[in-house]
Amino acid sequence: MLVLAEIFKVYNQGEANEVIALRGVSLSITRGEMVCIQGPSGSGKTTLLSIIGCILPPTRGRATIGGKKITRLPDHFLTDYRRQLIGFVFQDFNMLDHLSVLDNVTLPLMPLGISPKVRAKRGDALLERLAISHRRDFPLRQLSGGELQRAAIARALINDPPIIIADEPTAHLDSKLSGEVMDILANLKNEGRTLVVASHDPIVAGHGGIDRTVLVRDGNIVPSQGSVVK
């Protein structure tokens, strides 16, 4: 599902402020696997997620996401692949406070020209599934942290993507809610989706749904801990 081979990512290449964020990273993640990515600030973890998520192309190396080669693709192709293949759960939710829960969840469908009726039907089904349909018409600012994260997961699923990328999905939650969110993500894995979860939270790394933990440091995957299989 995800194959990275000798991936380098260089920012400001050739300039005085050049930064090498990734240094020859190779990583394979199979379909239906849930992998936890860990690493300190500045390790290259966020850049790695951005390449896996088709947000950034690699500077050098080969990246294949869902069978599609993304190396050196222009931005508009990356955008298309991202819409087709990947759902994102962001650390700070990245949702619009003034819109209702349903409107936030269905927002990714608007550029696709899908009718309001079909958008609402898809959104309602996901809100029901994630047990927040009673918040359907509430503005986002009235939701609790756990409800916000469920809404964010619903938005990530609205295009029915085979890959879910979750960046610190439990960062704003207590231990009980963190466990509930991880249970939801594990259920998505059981459906056959592939999940890449970046987190410092021991509840995430220790969850039974996590298949491997990959540690990133100084732009590299640490070999001795790079494939901790549970």
Side-chain angles (χ1 to χ4, degrees):
M1 178 56 73
L2 304 169
V3 180
L4 307 181
E6 290 295 313
I7 292 295
F8 286 79
K9 184 60 182 180
V10 183
Y11 297 101
N12 308 314
Q13 190 170 18
E15 301 178 14
N17 59 342
E18 177 179 287
V19 174
I20 304 176
L22 295 177
R23 303 171 180 270
V25 167
S26 295
L27 176 66
S28 294
I29 299 175
T30 60
R31 187 183 305 274
E33 190 175 21
M34 182 156 67
V35 174
C36 179
I37 306 289
Q38 293 187 323
S41 178
S43 64
K45 176 175 56 88
T46 298
T47 297
L48 178 60
L49 281 183
S50 296
I51 290 174
I52 292 173
C54 297
I55 295 172
L56 293 175
T59 303
R60 192 163 83 244
R62 178 173 55 85
T64 304
I65 311 298
K68 300 178 184 292
K69 294 181 181 179
I70 67 164
T71 310
R72 290 185 289 278
L73 280 179
D75 288 346
H76 66 279
F77 281 109
L78 285 176
T79 299
D80 287 344
Y81 286 171
R82 192 163 59 242
R83 287 174 178 165
Q84 295 170 28
L85 297 173
I86 300 166
F88 292 91
V89 181
F90 297 98
Q91 178 176 350
D92 295 315
F93 307 120
N94 283 15
M95 302 178 84
L96 302 177
D97 288 345
H98 64 284
L99 294 181
S100 70
V101 172
L102 180 65
D103 286 343
N104 267 286
V105 167
T106 59
L107 199 59
L109 298 179
M110 293 188 70
L112 305 180
I114 296 173
S115 71
K117 183 177 180 179
V118 173
R119 293 201 305 265
K121 184 177 180 180
R122 286 197 198 175
D124 283 334
L126 285 169
L127 294 177
E128 180 71 29
R129 174 182 174 181
L130 291 166
I132 52 168
S133 58
H134 61 294
R135 296 294 198 184
R136 178 189 195 272
D137 298 313
F138 280 57
L140 216 65
R141 60 181 177 272
Q142 294 184 18
L143 269 62
S144 68
E147 289 169 341
L148 276 170
Q149 197 60 288
R150 287 172 183 266
I153 293 170
R155 182 186 58 183
L157 292 171
I158 196 68
N159 281 336
D160 195 24
I163 301 167
I164 299 292
I165 295 177
D167 188 9
E168 300 288 353
T170 63
H172 306 288
L173 307 178
D174 62 26
S175 58
K176 179 178 182 297
L177 291 174
S178 295
E180 290 177 2
V181 165
M182 286 306 300
D183 288 345
I184 291 170
L185 296 181
N187 286 336
L188 298 179
K189 183 190 84 163
N190 292 338
E191 295 173 3
R193 299 182 204 268
T194 304
L195 290 94
V196 182
V197 184
S199 180
H200 294 97
D201 188 347
I203 291 176
V204 173
H207 192 274
I210 295 291
D211 297 300
R212 283 189 293 150
T213 298
V214 173
L215 179 61
V216 182
R217 182 178 293 152
D218 299 327
N220 293 288
I221 290 177
V222 179
S224 61
Q225 301 181 48
S227 183
V228 179
V229 181
K230 298 175 60 178

